[in-house]
Amino acid sequence: MKKKLLCTLLCTAFTGILLAGCAAADASKAVNAADGSGKKKAGSSDNDVYQLTVTSHDPRTSATGEFLEKWAASVKEASDGRLVILVHHNASMADVNESYDYVLEGKTDIAWGLQSAYTDVFPVTGVFSLPLLDINNAVQGSEAIWNFYNETDYMDSEYEPFHVLLLHTNCQSPICTVSKRVENTEELASMQIRANSGPASLLVQNFGTEPISVPITDLYSALGRGACNAAITDWHAIRSFALNGVCHHFLDENIGVSTYFMLMNQDSYDSLPADLQKILDETSAAAIGYTDIWNDYEKEVRKLITDVDPHAIYKLKSEEEKKLQDAAEQTAEQWIREMDEKGYDGRAIYEKAVECIKAVKE
């Protein structure tokens, strides 16, 4: 199923996609346009309308919500209304740690989700979440991870049960703190820092403390009641989950990006006519261009924060930045060793990821 699209196809497809209205209709997977008689198999007539359900744990008003609705509209437009996508936002269908099973079991046709919510399921994908990689924005990170997926077989086993529509990243992450402004890396050792599993957690351990595990949907509450007093999370999440209402200091050092998947149940994909499969693949790959929504959210939340306190977003002094870089390099080496122990070629994976990031750097 993999490697059906290359970088050149992405660029070509994106330029040809127009936007349309949001997805609609009922929750069935495919509906006959004439009589509503149910799902049709490949080879049905051109009048058949197919509907696909998507689960997402992020709010409709988030960057994710805008991204998914924009993608759904492009699919509907490109298919002349024959392929309609209904997005279930805000974990109304499946929670952040349930989307994988939901799409695998066919409870939804497509899942948008977060790899770090599934410990040890996506080890190779984690390379793109290593700290202080040279990822400047969501589009660059998304192009890099999608190229990596299409150009190598390193990720094949992680996504083998599914039809992969897209892998992408979000924007960068600061270290957000409730009341303490962190001026040096040693201070991080005394803090209770929430971090995603994988590289972000390794980095926190290299600060000298154990990471706190809290779902993003519960993070505001956890910070407010003191279950943690710091968090590594991206600018988009800060706005979408109102974390700037409880955190007052933001260490802006490009700690890392999160990766996301758009996975489709294989049976659902196989049930579509060949022409609609092609349209879905091309519009999904071209949706990389829509990840600039995360960049827009980053600009907006930075302004919201600095309008309240012009000094709330800050950087370390150069000698402390060097210590942070050392911790990031230590984390990368640790990640490589752990991947080797799992039977992967950790350094080859790391170097290829860095190569893909540099190749698309703006």
Side-chain angles (χ1 to χ4, degrees):
M1 292 299 166
K2 173 167 184 283
K3 307 208 170 49
K4 55 193 178 299
L5 295 173
L6 298 174
C7 289
T8 54
L9 176 59
L10 304 186
C11 297
T12 302
F14 176 63
T15 57
I17 289 179
L18 301 175
L19 302 181
C22 295
D26 59 45
S28 63
K29 293 180 180 176
V31 180
N32 183 280
D35 59 15
S37 59
K39 190 168 183 177
K40 296 294 180 182
K41 300 298 183 181
S44 300
S45 73
D46 287 344
N47 292 326
D48 291 328
V49 176
Y50 291 76
Q51 183 164 282
L52 303 174
T53 57
V54 182
T55 182
S56 165
H57 62 266
D58 273 1
R60 168 64 182 88
T61 54
S62 66
T64 305
E66 290 189 28
F67 168 81
L68 291 174
E69 292 293 344
K70 194 170 184 179
W71 161 68
S74 72
V75 172
K76 185 176 181 181
E77 173 71 12
S79 66
D80 293 328
R82 292 177 54 220
L83 192 53
V84 178
I85 294 178
L86 178 63
V87 184
H88 295 263
H89 302 280
N90 205 29
S92 59
M93 176 182 287
D95 208 344
V96 60
N97 58 355
E98 297 176 326
S99 58
Y100 181 98
D101 289 332
Y102 262 63
V103 69
L104 182 64
E105 296 167 6
K107 295 178 182 178
T108 184
D109 297 301
I110 299 168
W112 178 92
L114 179 66
Q115 286 95 335
S116 63
Y118 303 92
T119 305
D120 297 327
V121 176
F122 302 101
V124 176
T125 305
V127 68
F128 284 91
S129 296
L130 284 167
L132 276 65
L133 292 179
D134 195 15
I135 296 176
N136 298 321
N137 59 70
V139 176
Q140 178 203 3
S142 298
E143 289 179 346
I145 192 173
W146 190 233
N147 291 347
F148 181 98
Y149 172 75
N150 281 288
E151 293 173 8
T152 76
D153 59 4
Y154 291 130
M155 292 179 177
D156 282 9
S157 61
E158 297 180 3
Y159 299 101
E160 190 275 333
F162 307 100
H163 181 80
V164 180
L165 294 175
L166 184 65
L167 305 177
H168 74 91
T169 75
N170 63 356
C171 51
Q172 278 286 357
S173 302
I175 299 179
C176 318
T177 54
V178 175
S179 58
K180 183 177 179 60
R181 183 182 174 96
V182 176
E183 299 289 356
N184 59 71
T185 54
E186 285 78 9
E187 291 177 327
L188 293 167
S190 63
M191 305 193 77
Q192 293 77 47
I193 307 173
R194 178 267 185 189
N196 288 338
S197 64
S201 289
L202 289 179
L203 179 65
V204 171
Q205 290 171 353
N206 288 326
F207 290 152
T209 186
E210 284 298 314
I212 306 295
S213 178
V214 180
I216 188 64
T217 50
D218 299 333
L219 184 52
Y220 184 98
S221 174
L223 290 163
R225 68 176 185 272
C228 53
N229 53 25
I232 298 175
T233 194
D234 62 275
W235 293 105
H236 157 253
I238 291 168
R239 175 184 161 179
S240 295
F241 296 95
L243 302 182
N244 54 309
V246 66
C247 290
H248 304 291
H249 307 284
F250 303 86
L251 179 56
D252 184 17
E253 293 289 351
N254 281 12
I255 301 301
V257 300
S258 293
T259 63
Y260 299 96
F261 56 67
M262 287 171 59
L263 304 179
M264 187 168 184
N265 178 275
Q266 189 64 56
D267 289 341
S268 294
Y269 181 80
D270 291 341
S271 72
L272 295 175
D275 65 323
L276 292 186
Q277 290 177 346
K278 184 175 185 292
I279 288 170
L280 183 60
D281 288 336
E282 291 180 348
T283 51
S284 298
I288 282 177
Y290 305 156
T291 60
D292 62 357
I293 291 171
W294 273 268
N295 302 332
D296 294 338
Y297 268 66
E298 176 178 345
K299 293 175 184 176
E300 290 175 13
V301 74
R302 282 176 178 271
K303 185 175 187 305
L304 285 173
I305 291 169
T306 54
D307 280 350
V308 174
D309 179 1
H311 305 292
I313 300 174
Y314 65 101
K315 290 184 176 292
L316 295 172
K317 294 181 179 179
S318 58
E319 59 270 21
E320 292 300 324
E321 283 188 330
K322 177 60 168 61
K323 293 178 183 178
L324 183 61
Q325 183 64 52
D326 290 344
E329 292 174 2
Q330 181 182 352
T331 300
E333 290 299 321
Q334 183 178 350
W335 182 89
I336 289 169
R337 289 194 303 271
E338 291 185 359
M339 291 297 287
D340 289 343
E341 291 169 1
K342 294 175 183 178
Y344 297 92
D345 187 339
R347 190 162 302 279
I349 293 170
Y350 173 77
E351 291 177 353
K352 179 61 178 179
V354 170
E355 176 187 318
C356 288
I357 291 167
K358 289 181 177 179
V360 294
K361 184 177 179 180
E362 296 181 350

